[in-house]
Amino acid sequence: MKYVDEYRDAPALTELLAAVRRRATRRWTIMEICGGQTHGLLKWGIDEALADVVELLHGPGCPVCVTSAEAIDQAVALSLRPEVILTTFGDMLRVPGSKQSLADARAIGGTVRAVYSPLDALATAIAHPQREIVFLAVGFETTAPTTALAVRQAAQCNVKNFSLLTAHVRVEPAMEAILREPQNQVQAFLAAGHVCTVSGYQSYEELCRRHHVPIVVTGFEPLDLATGIAACIRQLEERRFEVENRYGRCVRPEGNVVAGQFVDAVYEPCDQVWRGLGTMPQGGLRLRDEWQTFDARHRFALGTSVTTDDDRCRSGAVLSGRIRPPQCPAFGKECTPEHPLGAPMVSAEGACAAYYRYHTPHPLTMIDACRETDR
Ligand code: SF4
């Protein structure tokens, strides 16, 4: 398949990994930001193939994992109101809130619908004018343009029964927070190609300069990932700290300017609570005042609350790369994909789910059996 097979060329991958091993004079610590990249690295065995020259830390770039319990609690409460149909991406249904998930809410009578896009949620609003349709809007810079578009279309079509419960997150403040940690170990980043497709990578130059880290933009196929790691190692060995684009088939320095303008017109950066990581300064997006009528928190007068995650779950340490999932005492015991304690075990992009799937010998569960079919 074009754009896939050429990036899964096994002999080329073997050769590239061997070149990385020859080039490295020591073991370097590299963090991949995106959960999709984490799954790729484990699925293709790149982490193990380079284990003696690269320590890979897994970053917080899984939007399902970092959505706060408070946002889930608010979505649950809305879904239980008789006038509301709560819509969101299917991945979000099993993410635990402080007491219930949206799947739990549906089991006790809440109205929750999985949709493929916020525009499907808008279509639901048009089809059900007597109900209030709320879309739980999660995701990084990749999904924010489509939720911004849905809001603008709702305004243009005068759809009054549509609103967003926003929990969008921004990747760059998270990278900055990780680099500022006194015990930070990250020496280079693999930046998420799909995020940079939207937002570009020019703003990373300042991060590289201030923190002396190379940032290499790359994709998700094995050759993309290995090429990104090779570029990081080359820079580290040469003591260079630059942004490098290794995903040129999708990413331009300035990103997708039109999508960026959509986002800027509808949203503004705000401080945001990330699950397990606390409040991230400027780490989220909220609707601008002029779009407040589409803000579910405003429309339904939702207050803020302090929520706590399950204290057995060490998702904060996993998402910031301080521990690997198997170091969590609950991993594979109380916490499995069928009975997750935390979001990183629920999400298709979660690091805990990745380790459970690719690095743990376990009997094939029902969920795994389903996933096997789409490998
Ligand atoms: S294994 Fe489960 S309990 Fe442990 S950090 Fe991951 S999601 Fe949380």
Side-chain angles (χ1 to χ4, degrees):
M1 191 191 306
K2 191 163 167 54
Y3 297 126
V4 174
D5 290 346
E6 62 264 51
Y7 299 100
R8 295 183 180 180
D9 181 329
L13 178 64
T14 306
E15 200 174 305
L16 183 53
L17 294 177
V20 170
R21 291 164 59 88
R22 284 195 301 274
R23 185 73 178 86
T25 58
R26 49 160 287 187
R27 195 165 187 245
W28 297 100
T29 302
I30 300 173
M31 174 178 275
E32 84 281 359
I33 287 292
C34 172
Q37 292 175 329
T38 305
H39 276 251
L41 290 161
L42 271 64
K43 175 177 179 176
W44 300 101
I46 294 171
D47 58 329
E48 291 183 328
L50 296 178
D52 53 343
V53 292
V54 180
E55 179 170 12
L56 286 167
L57 300 180
H58 315 306
C62 159
V64 174
C65 303
V66 300
T67 300
S68 69
E70 182 189 4
I72 301 295
D73 289 351
Q74 290 175 329
V76 165
L78 285 172
S79 77
L80 294 169
R81 294 172 71 128
E83 74 276 28
V84 170
I85 298 175
L86 193 289
T87 58
T88 191
F89 299 122
D91 259 15
M92 296 304 297
L93 300 195
R94 297 175 66 239
V95 176
S98 61
K99 295 189 183 66
Q100 291 168 310
S101 66
L102 284 167
D104 297 331
R106 186 153 68 177
I108 59 168
T111 309
V112 181
R113 290 193 189 167
V115 292
Y116 288 110
S117 113
L119 295 176
D120 291 344
L122 180 58
T124 306
I126 293 168
H128 298 276
Q130 75 288 6
R131 302 286 293 271
E132 283 286 338
I133 312 304
V134 181
F135 181 71
L136 171 58
V138 301
F140 283 88
E141 289 86 340
T142 40
T143 51
T146 55
T147 58
L149 179 65
V151 165
R152 289 175 66 139
Q153 289 203 348
Q156 281 165 4
C157 300
N158 202 24
V159 179
K160 305 267 191 215
N161 62 327
F162 176 75
S163 58
L164 297 184
L165 181 61
T166 54
H168 281 302
V169 279
R170 301 174 64 231
V171 75
E172 197 171 318
M175 293 165 77
E176 174 92 49
I178 288 165
L179 292 171
R180 282 177 183 270
E181 281 276 307
Q183 63 276 51
N184 168 52
Q185 303 167 50
V186 176
Q187 295 169 305
F189 279 116
L190 295 182
H194 52 359
V195 167
C196 295
T197 302
V198 175
S199 58
Y201 54 82
Q202 290 165 332
S203 63
Y204 290 160
E205 284 165 11
E206 177 63 15
L207 268 186
C208 293
R209 194 186 58 74
R210 266 191 287 119
H211 294 283
H212 291 160
V213 287
I215 300 179
V216 177
V217 180
T218 192
F220 305 87
E221 296 298 336
L223 272 174
D224 290 321
L225 294 163
T227 301
I229 292 170
C232 285
I233 299 242
R234 194 177 312 113
Q235 285 203 41
L236 288 165
E237 293 282 347
E238 294 171 3
R239 293 199 53 75
R240 287 187 295 116
F241 311 107
E242 299 163 5
V243 184
E244 200 170 323
N245 181 13
R246 290 284 167 171
Y247 202 39
R249 66 186 185 278
C250 295
V251 174
R252 290 176 300 215
E254 71 281 13
N256 183 327
V257 174
V258 174
Q261 287 168 346
F262 261 105
V263 172
D264 289 345
V266 172
Y267 292 113
E268 62 187 354
C270 65
D271 295 351
Q272 177 102 322
V273 176
W274 289 41
R275 185 186 292 255
L277 299 173
T279 300
M280 193 75 71
Q282 300 292 287
L285 292 172
R286 68 177 168 216
L287 288 163
R288 291 183 180 277
D289 286 348
E290 55 267 43
W291 299 98
Q292 201 177 54
T293 181
F294 293 100
D295 186 341
R297 290 186 180 87
H298 178 73
R299 184 173 298 192
F300 298 97
L302 302 177
T304 54
S305 60
V306 177
T307 53
T308 50
D309 299 325
D310 189 312
D311 57 13
R312 292 169 294 177
C313 177
R314 302 206 51 205
S315 62
V318 168
L319 292 167
S320 54
R322 293 200 302 278
I323 64 167
R324 292 174 190 287
Q327 292 172 274
C328 169
F331 178 83
K333 301 182 185 92
E334 300 108 297
C335 185
T336 65
E338 289 190 322
H339 300 286
L341 290 182
M345 190 60 96
V346 176
S347 169
E349 291 192 4
C352 300
Y355 271 79
Y356 189 84
R357 184 173 184 189
Y358 298 114
H359 277 201
T360 311
H362 55 81
L364 205 65
T365 64
M366 192 171 65
I367 289 175
D368 296 322
C370 295
R371 286 177 176 159
E372 289 295 318
T373 60
D374 63 28
R375 269 189 179 184

